[in-house]
Amino acid sequence: MIAVGVVGYIETPRGLRAFKTVFAQHISDECKRRFYKNWYRCKKKAHTRTGQKWADEEGKKSIEADFDKMAKYCTVIRVLCHTQPKTLQAEGRRRPTSWKFRLTAVKFLTRSHFARSLLEKPISVKDLFSQNELIDVIGVTSGHGY
């Protein structure tokens, strides 16, 4: 799996609300395929400005400010990850599966900086879970009401 973004949530009376979202500088076409319904007909313009934001000095300052605000205000920080369908040749899929993983094991003030260090790097399942570990699933849907 590859980490492509970080989402910070704040606690509201009605539940969690997304406060800040920061995407990585380089997002592969595999991941961009998830954002479109018809990949072959689209213009493939998703996340073209995020790379420009990382290259510009003002953009870097705003990204740093976003990570600092996440560390200060957010109660929950999650990392956006996607699979690499090209490495799973037997599966026969082109569109990756995406997840949000909550960071809990790291100290609270360093979660946003730890999430930033994970961006654009491959994450193995061994890094996230240990053997025979119980996992709580927040929400999973196949999109058909099942």
Side-chain angles (χ1 to χ4, degrees):
M1 290 189 301
I2 302 289
V4 293
V6 179
V7 183
Y9 294 91
I10 58 173
E11 192 81 32
T12 63
R14 295 181 180 165
L16 292 176
R17 180 178 67 86
F19 179 65
K20 291 284 182 186
T21 303
V22 178
F23 283 95
Q25 181 177 6
H26 304 289
I27 298 177
S28 65
D29 286 341
E30 290 178 333
C31 182
K32 289 180 186 178
R33 194 180 276 271
R34 171 53 63 189
F35 303 122
Y36 291 105
K37 186 174 183 179
N38 289 324
W39 176 252
Y40 66 95
R41 278 196 310 187
C42 70
K43 295 183 180 180
K44 299 171 182 66
K45 298 289 284 181
H47 297 286
T48 54
R49 292 187 181 171
T50 55
Q52 295 171 356
K53 193 173 184 181
W54 281 87
D56 188 19
E57 286 297 323
E58 291 180 19
K60 285 183 181 179
K61 288 180 183 177
S62 68
I63 290 170
E64 282 294 325
D66 288 344
F67 277 112
D68 291 338
K69 286 180 183 177
M70 273 193 235
K72 186 175 182 181
Y73 297 114
C74 294
T75 56
V76 175
I77 293 179
R78 294 183 181 160
V79 178
L80 296 168
C81 299
H82 73 88
T83 58
Q84 295 173 301
K86 287 185 180 178
T87 59
L88 304 173
Q89 293 292 333
E91 190 174 339
R93 295 180 59 172
R94 292 184 183 173
R95 181 176 286 188
T97 307
S98 59
W99 291 285
K100 290 181 189 174
F101 289 108
R102 182 175 177 178
L103 297 178
T104 57
V106 188
K107 291 183 181 178
F108 183 72
L109 294 176
T110 60
R111 284 184 192 163
S112 63
H113 299 294
F114 178 68
R116 182 181 179 158
S117 69
L118 291 177
L119 287 178
E120 298 182 6
K121 293 183 181 174
I123 301 171
S124 67
V125 178
K126 293 177 185 177
D127 297 337
L128 295 175
F129 308 111
S130 62
Q131 189 171 357
N132 297 328
E133 180 181 2
L134 296 176
I135 301 170
D136 292 332
V137 178
I138 294 173
V140 175
T141 178
S142 60
H144 299 287
Y146 299 119

